[in-house]
Amino acid sequence: MKFSTSEENYIKSIYHLQQQGGVVSTNNLASELQTKAASVTDMLKKLNAKNLLHYERYQGFTLSDEGIKVALGIVRKHRLWEYFLVHKLEFGWDEVHAIAEELEHITSPLLVEKLDTYLSHPKFDPHGDPIPDVNGKMELRQQVNLIDLALNQEAEVSAVGSQSTELLELLKHKNIGIGTLLTVVRKFTFDNSLEVKVKNFPPFSISQQLAQTLFLKPTYGSTTVGSISK
Amino acid sequence: MKFSTSEENYIKSIYHLQQQGGVVSTNNLASELQTKAASVTDMLKKLNAKNLLHYERYQGFTLSDEGIKVALGIVRKHRLWEYFLVHKLEFGWDEVHAIAEELEHITSPLLVEKLDTYLSHPKFDPHGDPIPDVNGKMELRQQVNLIDLALNQEAEVSAVGSQSTELLELLKHKNIGIGTLLTVVRKFTFDNSLEVKVKNFPPFSISQQLAQTLFLKPTYGSTTVGSISK
DNA sequence: AAATAAATTTAGACAAACCTAAAACTTTTT
DNA sequence: AAAAAGTTTTAGGTTTGTCTAAATTTATTT
Ligand SMILES: [Mn+2]
Ligand SMILES: [Mn+2]
Ligand SMILES: [Mn+2]
Ligand SMILES: [Mn+2]
């Protein structure tokens, strides 16, 4: 079945919201899509009629199995294009989301597979989020939030919880990127800031706000599954 | 100013039609876009209100200077994406038009310029059609139709007048592509077929129908400007 | 257990991009 | 120069996706 750009954007947003909170609400989705609750209800009826949703009036909704399959296809395209934009066209990490938001709606399935091959089947996008394969399977990388990382446990930065220019600017200043190895050497309870150490650099401080947007994969042993962004 | 996908498709089609026939008619455009005359009239009013057209009711229309500028921007994107699809993703020449028809509407100007740089500023698309630069300038390659090529005058295949799978199949069989050097060694008046010679191959025959879709650039000296496809 | 507040859905409208059928205009033929 | 034929525009309708305002349902207070 084929879907309009608008339908696809709704499906993908529902997918992301239900990853976090389980059942999704109308207002929730409306604010995510920058639209009004009435518009959401209209679209819910349409998606429900196409069997993409589990939906009870006034009771919230989630994607059906079919809906999830469709969502994963769009997420796959979005993240593959982001990878292309950053690694081939040399876009900055914070510039690609809006463009991928358009490219994800290009219809040709052959294009997606050729792009995937051209990029050598990447497993993660530039923000550290996993790229689903043709069948919707993706690596659920073991991730810990930096806030929860044990002292002196080395870990590799693998994802970020935001894609804002502001975050990118700060990470560049601190010389942190996807792949950076670091350890937490001290935690301060006053402001929940962390003193961290990266090889060949002097120790430096990371604020609570920054730590909360960084997700890492411990170098040995491991832990919980972290939340994931677009 | 920003335009919808639909507006852009109309603008581009008008551009191609007026390249050939001067003033464009409503029915003409309707059949090019596979739509109805009434729909065309609706859109003409909108484009006219935006000063993209010279339009007199019942008298046909052409693009204004502003309209041409917009059209060239879309043509640029279309041909750059076609080049990308063929030379990077290894699509066949006949597979790319439909996909480029969607990709040409992606809005980011920065994307176009980065893509252009990534492709090393190509001057011609996979069908031999010139790619306009950022300012809309493009090489108007000197082209002769194979039908009109002088006997024993060596020339390089530089464009094709169709992009069908059928044509591609035939050209592959005859080992002809963009860049092939050939000379016409004989012309037969009975069926207007040609006997042509390509270096390192035995001479072979080309039908009138095939000759009419091939455009070439003579290796020395030169001639007329040929018609050009998408 | 009311009353109040919040969330959700319905009702009714609107713009964009289409369509069919009928009217208006232009071109061609007799 | 009238009639016929062809082209273009207008009139009125449909679908998709949006909106505001009002009605309905659910959740939270008192
Ligand atoms: Mn999108
Ligand atoms: Mn991403
Ligand atoms: Mn197009
Ligand atoms: Mn082309």
Side-chain angles (χ1 to χ4, degrees):
Chain A
M1 212 176 231
K2 279 276 303 291
F3 304 97
S4 72
T5 293
S6 210
E7 288 172 321
E8 290 191 345
N9 284 333
Y10 275 86
I11 293 165
K12 189 171 60 122
S13 285
I14 296 169
Y15 174 81
H16 287 311
L17 289 174
Q18 79 181 28
Q19 289 289 96
Q20 307 220 293
V23 174
V24 185
S25 77
T26 303
N27 271 348
N28 214 210
L29 183 51
S31 94
E32 172 85 6
L33 287 167
Q34 313 240 67
T35 184
K36 297 302 154 72
S39 308
V40 169
T41 302
D42 285 347
M43 183 59 88
L44 289 177
K45 286 181 190 163
K46 232 194 325 173
L47 297 179
N48 192 46
K50 293 185 180 183
N51 293 310
L52 298 170
L53 293 182
H54 300 302
Y55 172 49
E56 293 284 350
R57 262 159 83 259
Y58 292 101
Q59 305 301 305
F61 45 89
T62 54
L63 291 176
S64 67
D65 286 359
E66 180 61 24
I68 290 171
K69 235 167 75 180
V70 174
L72 286 170
I74 305 163
V75 169
R76 170 169 167 76
K77 287 195 273 182
H78 184 101
R79 293 181 180 166
L80 280 174
W81 280 117
E82 282 189 343
Y83 189 98
F84 167 75
L85 293 172
V86 169
H87 291 96
K88 298 287 183 181
L89 297 198
E90 306 189 320
F91 271 93
W93 152 12
D94 57 323
E95 304 172 296
V96 299
H97 190 77
I99 301 174
E101 204 56 52
E102 294 184 48
L103 286 166
E104 71 190 357
H105 305 292
I106 304 290
T107 48
S108 164
L110 182 55
L111 172 59
V112 185
E113 298 327 306
K114 293 226 180 214
L115 181 63
D116 186 43
T117 300
Y118 181 58
L119 301 175
S120 307
H121 311 290
K123 293 269 179 297
F124 298 93
D125 85 359
H127 310 105
D129 295 313
I131 301 174
D133 69 15
V134 210
N135 305 116
K137 300 236 182 304
M138 55 183 155
E139 293 189 21
L140 247 204
R141 186 181 271 205
Q142 300 283 83
Q143 288 178 139
V144 208
N145 191 250
L146 180 48
I147 282 283
D148 304 318
L149 186 64
L151 276 180
N152 300 313
Q153 157 104 68
E154 193 188 52
E156 179 186 340
V157 177
S158 57
V160 293
S162 150
Q163 299 156 216
S164 64
T165 313
E166 290 76 13
L167 172 61
L168 183 60
E169 178 193 24
L170 181 56
L171 290 180
K172 270 182 177 158
H173 173 71
K174 293 193 188 278
N175 269 295
I176 298 174
I178 303 285
T180 300
L181 295 172
L182 57 77
T183 55
V184 176
V185 295
R186 240 182 116 175
K187 301 185 179 187
F188 296 98
T189 43
F190 174 71
D191 60 357
N192 293 309
S193 70
L194 308 172
E195 190 74 6
V196 309
K197 181 78 185 65
V198 175
K199 215 175 174 181
N200 302 323
F201 287 93
F204 58 94
S205 175
I206 284 187
S207 69
Q208 178 182 26
Q209 295 94 314
L210 177 53
Q212 281 168 342
T213 71
L214 294 180
F215 295 90
L216 303 96
K217 189 181 76 173
T219 321
Y220 55 92
S222 198
T223 43
T224 6
V225 174
S227 90
I228 273 173
S229 77
K230 322 290 157 55
Chain B
M1 213 176 231
K2 281 276 302 291
F3 303 98
S4 71
T5 293
S6 211
E7 288 172 321
E8 289 191 347
N9 284 333
Y10 275 86
I11 293 165
K12 190 171 58 124
S13 286
I14 296 169
Y15 174 81
H16 287 311
L17 289 174
Q18 78 182 31
Q19 288 289 98
Q20 307 220 292
V23 174
V24 184
S25 76
T26 301
N27 271 347
N28 213 212
L29 183 52
S31 94
E32 172 85 7
L33 287 168
Q34 313 240 67
T35 184
K36 298 301 153 75
S39 307
V40 169
T41 302
D42 285 349
M43 183 60 88
L44 290 178
K45 285 181 191 165
K46 235 196 321 176
L47 297 179
N48 192 45
K50 294 186 180 183
N51 293 308
L52 298 169
L53 294 181
H54 300 301
Y55 172 47
E56 293 283 349
R57 264 157 84 260
Y58 292 102
Q59 305 301 304
F61 45 89
T62 54
L63 292 175
S64 67
D65 286 358
E66 180 60 25
I68 290 171
K69 235 167 77 180
V70 175
L72 287 170
I74 306 163
V75 168
R76 170 170 168 76
K77 288 195 272 182
H78 185 101
R79 292 180 181 167
L80 280 174
W81 280 116
E82 282 189 342
Y83 189 98
F84 168 75
L85 293 172
V86 168
H87 290 96
K88 298 288 182 180
L89 297 197
E90 304 189 322
F91 271 94
W93 158 14
D94 56 323
E95 305 173 295
V96 300
H97 190 77
I99 302 176
E101 203 55 52
E102 295 185 48
L103 286 166
E104 72 191 355
H105 305 291
I106 304 290
T107 47
S108 164
L110 182 55
L111 172 60
V112 185
E113 297 327 305
K114 293 224 182 215
L115 181 63
D116 187 42
T117 299
Y118 181 57
L119 301 174
S120 307
H121 311 290
K123 293 269 181 296
F124 298 93
D125 84 1
H127 311 104
D129 294 313
I131 300 174
D133 69 17
V134 209
N135 306 117
K137 300 236 182 304
M138 57 185 155
E139 293 189 22
L140 248 204
R141 188 180 269 206
Q142 300 283 83
Q143 286 179 140
V144 207
N145 191 252
L146 181 49
I147 281 284
D148 304 319
L149 187 64
L151 275 180
N152 300 314
Q153 156 104 67
E154 192 187 52
E156 179 185 341
V157 177
S158 57
V160 294
S162 149
Q163 299 158 213
S164 65
T165 312
E166 290 77 12
L167 172 60
L168 182 61
E169 178 193 23
L170 180 56
L171 290 180
K172 271 184 177 157
H173 174 71
K174 294 195 189 275
N175 269 296
I176 297 175
I178 303 285
T180 300
L181 294 174
L182 58 76
T183 55
V184 176
V185 295
R186 237 181 120 175
K187 301 184 177 188
F188 296 98
T189 43
F190 175 70
D191 60 358
N192 292 309
S193 70
L194 308 172
E195 191 75 4
V196 308
K197 182 76 186 67
V198 176
K199 215 176 176 182
N200 301 324
F201 288 93
F204 58 94
S205 175
I206 284 187
S207 69
Q208 178 182 27
Q209 295 96 312
L210 177 54
Q212 280 169 341
T213 72
L214 295 181
F215 295 89
L216 304 96
K217 190 181 74 172
T219 321
Y220 54 91
S222 197
T223 42
T224 5
V225 173
S227 88
I228 273 176
S229 78
K230 321 291 154 57

